[in-house]
Amino acid sequence: MKYTRLTKEQFEELHLEFINFLATQSITADEWKDIKVNKPEAAEQELDVFSDLVWFGVLSKVEYLEHISPQQIHLFKCREKDMHLIALKINNTAINFTKKEGFQWLRDNLLSDSIEFFNAKKDYSDDKHMDIFKMIQQGANITKGELFQYFEKLIGQKS
C-alpha cells in the first residue's frame, strides 16, 4: 500500500465508487460478501488498492495546501515541478492564528513589524504525490487557495 487506507467513514461516503471498483474487477456483491468472510486477506488487499486509487486521484488534483499553527501560517501552491511557499511567522505567543481572534488580529495588523513573511520554492522529490501526501499527513489541509492568492498579491510575488 502506497498511501493509507481510507477510514470507515470515507469508505461509507465512497460506497458507490467502491461498488464500481469491484465491478471493474468482475466482483459481484455476493462474491464480495464471500471474499470478506472466506478470504479476509484478499478483502483487505482490495480495500488497500481502492484506497490508493482514491488517494492518487485526490493528490493529482491538489493545487493548494495550508498548514496553520498558533504562530505560523504556511501556504503552498502545488505547481507541476515544484511547490511555492508563502509563510508568515509571528514572535508573539499571545497571538494564535488557529483561533478566530488571532486570525482577526492578523487581518487588522498585516503590516505590523512583528509579522515576518517568507517566500520560497521547493522542488518535489521523485514522487510529487507522495510529497503532497506527507504534508497532508503532517497536518496540511487541501484548499482552494484563497489565502495563498491573497498573500501572493499582498507581497507582490507571482508564482
Side-chain angles (χ1 to χ4, degrees):
M1 176 164 214
K2 185 169 181 176
Y3 302 110
T4 189
R5 183 176 295 176
L6 299 174
T7 64
K8 183 178 188 259
E9 293 79 15
Q10 290 167 324
F11 271 111
E12 287 170 1
E13 194 72 27
L14 296 168
H15 72 278
L16 292 176
E17 288 83 353
F18 186 65
I19 290 168
N20 289 335
F21 166 75
L22 292 174
T24 63
Q25 299 186 58
S26 302
I27 299 174
T28 66
D30 290 337
E31 288 171 325
W32 176 243
K33 287 177 190 166
D34 181 59
I35 290 170
K36 287 194 300 185
V37 172
N38 298 314
K39 299 178 187 169
E41 315 81 31
E44 297 285 322
Q45 191 174 4
E46 293 297 335
L47 295 173
D48 290 348
V49 170
F50 179 73
S51 294
D52 275 349
L53 286 171
V54 169
W55 272 112
F56 183 81
V58 168
L59 296 169
S60 297
K61 295 176 184 162
V62 171
E63 291 183 53
Y64 295 95
L65 294 168
E66 290 178 3
H67 191 277
I68 300 175
S69 60
Q71 276 74 48
Q72 296 184 40
I73 297 176
H74 292 92
L75 308 169
F76 301 91
K77 181 175 185 177
C78 302
R79 302 184 289 198
E80 185 66 30
K81 297 193 183 319
D82 59 30
M83 229 181 255
H84 179 187
L85 165 68
I86 296 174
L88 290 80
K89 180 180 178 188
I90 185 161
N91 293 319
N92 180 347
T93 56
I95 307 298
N96 183 341
F97 294 142
T98 64
K99 305 275 187 220
K100 185 179 177 185
E101 302 78 24
F103 213 77
Q104 186 59 49
W105 182 92
L106 175 63
R107 293 175 75 166
D108 296 340
N109 297 280
L110 266 178
L111 301 177
S112 167
D113 288 340
S114 60
I115 300 173
E116 295 179 71
F117 285 89
F118 301 93
N119 205 355
K121 176 186 85 102
K122 180 181 189 282
D123 291 336
Y124 296 115
S125 69
D126 291 340
D127 190 341
K128 171 185 176 179
H129 295 113
M130 184 55 77
D131 293 346
I132 294 170
F133 179 75
K134 286 178 182 174
M135 292 180 68
I136 293 169
Q137 292 292 97
Q138 294 167 358
N141 293 304
I142 300 169
T143 70
K144 293 181 179 162
E146 291 100 341
L147 263 182
F148 183 95
Q149 293 165 11
Y150 175 80
F151 284 108
E152 183 178 51
K153 287 178 187 149
L154 182 74
I155 61 175
Q157 184 73 29
K158 201 67 175 147
S159 58

